[in-house]
């Protein structure tokens, strides 16, 4: 009986009534076991995959007025339309639709509200100097989203089909993307379980939707280095957990530690893990530090490895690739390895810590000035009047060049 709670390859399986009544406490007690989920496996019995040729577009009759770009607040304004694709266990993915932006109507018993059948992505569309709309490495987002959906028994989909649809959607909303550097259209692909049931089981229906929000530069007046508080009383993710997936359920529990840090004057919290106090992530960004090796003096750019507790960021991956391409030839060592807060504090004390920064789609990079840890303020290597280290600055430049199509590159997907 308990085994049946594990994600199953076959979609024909329907939960028996007794299992649907299984209390959550029991469900949580399923035996710990190691299993890998292949996105293909979860979708193998699906009748129909997403089909862009079936797209229908219903345009709004009341186009929104554009907000002054300088007044944009992240995630507040939305475009005229949304992309939706319904899925049912029986029929698979139904015809995709672009419709006017509108409310969803869901029964209060819908499983997303009770058991958090929800995962999402964060990606952006940029306008290049010729007015073309471009996505940045959308294949990475879709690959990650399929891993998220598969982990919570939601349906997977053809990544290329959904990229095609997102590209059409972004192009349709092109007027919302300001031309200026730093501006973009934030895209939020989301998948929710829509089955109306309090039974704990795989949802028999789901909805994939994409909404879009015009956003301005994260640092409108240039970089502003942040101060972090290392959180020692809560962990974000753990081995065998789901911290490496973008599940909505991972984020709500992070707000209180964030508020706690804010109440003491820190802009973000730094997530450590274990007795060794490994540095993992900063807020909802991946963390990078640049330091000189204690023995050899060699410069090292390091970030935590993808051991299941780290969100595999597209920005993280891009920074590592750029570092291997451009910094390694300058003599840098590029490392994905575990490192501890103690190691960072020691490097700081010995003047070997060059810089530290968070990395994610929203800001690209977010330089760190200090980390408060065990009552100590660990200085991250910026001088008093510096708001960013050199590596963070160069990375931002290199990544933006590819996002905005200044440098033609395979990472940039013209819509
Ligand atoms: C989304 C996210 C990141 C950054 O991922 P990007 O793909 O670079 O935007 C890092 N950590 C967490 C916890 C995240 O949710």
């Amino acid at each position: 009986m308990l085994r049946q709670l594990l994600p199953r390859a076959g979609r024909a399986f329907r939960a028996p009534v007794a299992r649907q009544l299984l209390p959550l406490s029991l469900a949580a007690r399923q035996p710990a076991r190691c299993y890998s989920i292949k996105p293909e496996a979860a979708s193998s019995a699906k009748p129909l995959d997403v089909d862009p040729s079936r797209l229908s577009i219903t345009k709004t009759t009341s186009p929104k007025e554009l907000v002054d770009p300088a007044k944009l607040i992240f995630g507040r304004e939305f475009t005229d339309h949304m992309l939706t694709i319904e899925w049912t266990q029986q029929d698979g993915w139904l015809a995709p639709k672009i419709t006017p932006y509108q409310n969803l109507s869901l029964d209060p018993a819908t499983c997303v509200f009770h058991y958090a059948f929800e995962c999402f992505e964060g990606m952006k569309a940029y306008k290049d100097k010729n007015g073309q709309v471009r996505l940045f490495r959308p294949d990475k987002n879709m690959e990650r989203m399929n891993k998220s959906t598969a982990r919570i028994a939601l349906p997977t989909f053809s990544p290329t089909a959904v990229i095609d649809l997102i590209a059409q959607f972004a192009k349709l909303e092109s007027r919302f993307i300001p031309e200026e550097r730093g501006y973009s259209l934030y895209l939020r692909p989301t998948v929710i379980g829509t089955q109306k049931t309090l039974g704990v089981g795989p949802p028999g229906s789901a909805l994939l939707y994409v909404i879009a929000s015009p956003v301005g530069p994260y640092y409108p007046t240039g970089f502003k280095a942040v101060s972090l508080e290392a959180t020692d009383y809560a962990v974000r993710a753990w081995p065998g957990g789901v911290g490496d997936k973008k599940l909505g359920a991972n984020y709500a529990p992070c707000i209180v530690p964030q508020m706690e840090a804010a109440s003491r004057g820190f802009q973000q919290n730094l997530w450590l893990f274990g007795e060794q106090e490994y540095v993992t992530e900063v807020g909802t960004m991946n963390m990078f530090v640049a330091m000189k090796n204690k023995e050899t003096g060699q410069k090292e750019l390091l970030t935590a490895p993808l051991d299941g507790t780290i969100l595999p960021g597209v920005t993280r991956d891009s920074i590592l690739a750029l570092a291997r391409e451009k910094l390694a030839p300058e003599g840098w060592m590029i490392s994905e390895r575990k490192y501890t807060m103690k190691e960072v504090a020691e490097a700081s004390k010995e003047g070997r810590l060059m810089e530290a920064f968070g990395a994610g789609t929203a800001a690209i990079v977010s330089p760190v000035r200090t980390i408060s840890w065990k009552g100590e303020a660990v200085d991250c290597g910026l001088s008093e009047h510096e708001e960013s280290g050199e590596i963070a600055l160069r990375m931002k430049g290199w990544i933006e060049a590819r996002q905005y199509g200044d440098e033609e590159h395979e990472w940039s997907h013209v819509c």
Side-chain angles (χ1 to χ4, degrees), residues 112-162:
V112 60
F113 299 134
H114 302 273
Y115 309 125
F117 286 101
E118 195 267 0
C119 61
F120 66 97
E121 272 304 321
M123 55 199 283
K124 284 176 169 177
Y126 307 83
K127 201 174 266 180
D128 69 20
K129 52 184 181 300
N130 303 319
Q132 293 184 111
V133 178
R134 292 165 176 266
L135 303 175
F136 182 68
R137 308 189 74 187
D139 50 320
K140 285 271 165 197
N141 295 95
M142 293 302 108
E143 181 191 334
R144 189 167 71 188
M145 192 152 190
N146 267 328
K147 287 182 180 163
S148 297
T149 60
R151 182 64 184 85
I152 54 173
L154 288 175
T156 57
F157 50 83
S158 154
T160 50
V162 175

Side-chain angles (χ1 to χ4, degrees), residues 91-252:
D91 300 322
W93 291 102
L94 309 183
K97 291 179 200 157
I98 289 177
T99 62
Y101 188 97
Q102 60 194 277
N103 290 347
L104 301 175
S105 173
L106 294 169
D107 189 282
T110 305
C111 61
V112 60
F113 299 134
H114 302 273
Y115 309 125
F117 286 101
E118 195 267 0
C119 61
F120 66 97
E121 272 304 321
M123 55 199 283
K124 284 176 169 177
Y126 307 83
K127 201 174 266 180
D128 69 20
K129 52 184 181 300
N130 303 319
Q132 293 184 111
V133 178
R134 292 165 176 266
L135 303 175
F136 182 68
R137 308 189 74 187
D139 50 320
K140 285 271 165 197
N141 295 95
M142 293 302 108
E143 181 191 334
R144 189 167 71 188
M145 192 152 190
N146 267 328
K147 287 182 180 163
S148 297
T149 60
R151 182 64 184 85
I152 54 173
L154 288 175
T156 57
F157 50 83
S158 154
T160 50
V162 175
I163 291 170
D164 178 328
L165 290 163
I166 292 177
Q168 292 192 53
F169 173 53
K171 228 166 126 173
L172 179 74
E173 304 297 50
S174 155
R175 73 181 183 96
F176 286 90
I177 317 177
E179 314 256 333
E180 296 86 355
R181 179 54 54 104
Y183 289 85
S184 58
L185 187 63
Y186 185 83
L187 297 160
R188 170 52 62 89
T190 308
V191 183
I192 57 173
T194 53
Q195 191 171 0
K196 170 190 161 183
T197 175
L198 296 183
V200 186
S205 61
L207 178 70
L208 184 161
Y209 65 88
V210 185
I211 51 176
S213 172
V215 291
Y218 200 83
Y219 297 103
T221 54
F223 277 124
K224 194 91 193 76
V226 295
S227 297
L228 311 180
E229 181 181 62
T231 300
D232 56 8
Y233 58 93
V235 288
R236 192 195 79 86
W238 45 88
V242 289
D244 59 343
K245 309 288 190 300
K246 255 178 144 62
L247 307 186
N250 282 337
Y251 296 84

Side-chain angles (χ1 to χ4, degrees), residues 7 17 38 45 52 63 73 89 93 126 153 207 212 233-234 252 268 277-278 283 290 295 312 340 375 377 393 405 415:
V17 174
K38 294 198 184 72
I73 300 171
Q89 179 159 33
W93 291 102
Y126 307 83
L207 178 70
Y233 58 93
Q268 270 300 341
E277 298 190 282
Y278 290 118
E295 273 85 44
T340 63
L393 200 62
C415 295

Side-chain angles (χ1 to χ4, degrees), residues 120-123 140-141 144 186 236 243 245-246 250-251 254 271 281-287 309-318 359-362 364:
F120 66 97
E121 272 304 321
M123 55 199 283
K140 285 271 165 197
N141 295 95
R144 189 167 71 188
Y186 185 83
R236 192 195 79 86
K245 309 288 190 300
K246 255 178 144 62
N250 282 337
Y251 296 84
C254 294
W271 295 104
E281 300 204 50
V282 46
T284 55
M285 285 186 276
N286 293 115
M287 178 76 173
T309 67
I310 303 293
L311 199 290
V314 178
T315 317
R316 175 190 179 279
D317 188 82
S318 305
T361 295
I364 308 179

